[in-house]
Amino acid sequence: MNVTPTPLEPEILEPATFSHVPVLSRELIAGLAVRAGGHYLDATVGGGGHSRLILQAAPDVKLTALDRDAAAIAAAQTQLAEFGDRVQFLRSNFATYTPQNATFDGIIADLGVSSYQFDTAARGFSFRHEAPLDMRMDDRQSLTAAAAINTWDEKKLADIFFHYGEERFSRRIARRIVEKRPFHTTTELAAAIASAVPGAYRHGRIHPATRVFQALRIAINDELTSLENFLQLAPTWLKPGGSIIVISFHSLEDRIVKNAFRASELLQIITKKPLIAQTDELAQNPRSRSAKLRIATRRDGNG
């Protein structure tokens, strides 16, 4: 779904309770080598944690902050208000963003779903609480998880669960969903998924609905295609020598980033292997456990 980026003023959106502990922040700031007067793009601003560190790293830094989630934009506007007109906020999917004539000294993207999105029951990302089957990062789009679960055919659902969730019982789960639908809430769907798998799997280390919910979220928000499109375009937005840094939390995402960096004639890879969280960060922020950070820079000259 293409949505035109919307410039926002701070008073347009109500402030949201949106916490964001930025992962791999030391590695990100070191990789960006933020320079005074530079212009940076945070393509997934979230609660503004990484953006704040960039704005504080050198004098007179400017930043363009994107997110397709209205709650994230509202929170970032509040958190970054002290920086005034040094920050421009745009509600946009990074895959459809166009910077007009702007070029950036650095670009960052912190992928995946936020703790706020998981913890806000009404968003439908989690089955910990009963909630509508929504899962949209951008509530302007029409497709919801309920629409997908209740209308997509069995094969399509099974393929999504297998490819995006690496769910080994994908076909059994898809068959049970088709038998039991329609579904209206997260807990109804989670119970149906649990009933479709063997007992030992049902009572394993993670809930059997975990991978299915992840796969649905990726499909509903078209996350992997959006990432591929962003990574094709973003290198052209960089100034020579500028860095692009992507933090991923899923092996499918990390593979796309790695391959896109390798395939781009405009980029020089800096991290041959992804950077991961160090012991002190892991102790303070368990979410960083699965984070992987990759860096590439724009080659000098005309590419």
Side-chain angles (χ1 to χ4, degrees):
M1 173 185 175
N2 290 346
V3 179
T4 303
T6 307
L8 300 174
E9 296 298 329
E11 67 271 19
I12 289 178
L13 293 171
E14 292 295 322
T17 304
F18 197 118
S19 63
H20 178 214
V21 179
V23 302
L24 296 169
S25 56
R26 291 171 299 196
E27 293 82 357
L28 182 140
I29 293 300
L32 278 182
V34 179
R35 68 176 189 84
H39 187 187
Y40 295 84
L41 172 66
D42 187 340
T44 53
V45 69
H50 285 124
S51 286
R52 170 175 289 278
L53 295 173
I54 293 168
L55 289 159
Q56 292 174 334
D60 302 319
V61 170
K62 293 186 177 181
L63 184 130
T64 298
L66 308 182
D67 210 291
R68 54 175 158 173
D69 189 323
I73 287 286
Q77 288 173 327
T78 299
Q79 294 299 321
L80 304 176
E82 68 191 83
F83 299 101
D85 61 5
R86 289 167 57 190
V87 188
Q88 179 190 24
F89 298 94
L90 294 171
R91 187 181 177 193
S92 173
N93 184 335
F94 60 17
T96 57
Y97 169 68
T98 53
Q100 306 302 329
N101 296 320
T103 54
F104 300 101
D105 295 277
I107 297 171
I108 68 166
D110 182 0
L111 306 176
V113 65
S114 69
S115 298
Y116 168 83
Q117 290 166 326
F118 269 127
D119 294 339
T120 304
R123 300 297 295 270
F125 287 104
S126 170
F127 48 84
R128 289 179 298 174
H129 306 285
E130 184 175 10
L133 279 166
D134 193 322
M135 296 193 189
R136 293 173 296 172
M137 291 183 176
D138 186 338
D139 61 9
R140 296 171 295 183
Q141 78 174 43
S142 57
L143 179 64
T144 64
I149 282 294
N150 292 322
T151 63
W152 288 353
D153 64 42
E154 182 179 323
K155 182 180 185 303
K156 183 172 183 177
L157 290 172
D159 288 346
I160 285 168
F161 302 158
F162 182 77
H163 293 297
Y164 294 167
E166 299 174 312
E167 173 53 65
R168 59 185 171 131
F169 294 109
S170 58
R171 300 200 181 283
R172 291 174 59 161
I173 291 169
R175 189 177 310 119
R176 180 61 52 87
I177 286 171
V178 170
E179 290 171 355
K180 297 286 188 180
R181 65 191 186 186
F183 296 95
H184 303 289
T185 68
T186 54
T187 49
E188 288 175 348
L189 178 59
I193 294 166
S195 73
V197 301
Y201 191 69
R202 189 181 312 141
H203 302 293
R205 187 174 57 86
I206 65 170
H207 192 285
T210 301
R211 293 185 179 90
V212 171
F213 269 64
Q214 171 187 283
L216 262 181
R217 188 205 82 219
I218 290 171
I220 295 304
N221 295 288
D222 202 18
E223 292 179 34
L224 301 186
T225 300
S226 293
L227 177 59
E228 289 170 348
N229 292 342
F230 166 71
L231 291 170
Q232 279 191 324
L233 295 168
T236 68
W237 308 337
L238 281 170
K239 296 176 183 177
S243 296
I244 178 169
I245 300 179
V246 181
I247 300 173
S248 64
F249 293 85
H250 189 285
S251 60
L252 295 176
E253 294 171 338
D254 181 59
R255 191 177 307 128
I256 289 171
V257 177
K258 177 179 68 175
N259 291 339
F261 281 6
R262 284 179 176 176
S264 176
E265 295 180 354
L266 299 178
L267 296 178
Q268 174 70 46
I269 294 173
I270 302 301
T271 50
K272 302 299 182 184
K273 294 184 177 180
L275 305 181
I276 60 175
Q278 301 302 302
T279 304
D280 60 335
E281 182 172 5
L282 290 169
Q284 295 174 7
N285 183 12
R287 180 175 177 261
S288 66
R289 182 180 63 256
S290 57
K292 294 181 178 180
L293 182 150
R294 292 185 183 270
I295 307 171
T297 58
R298 173 74 187 255
R299 298 180 188 274
D300 291 337
N302 296 318

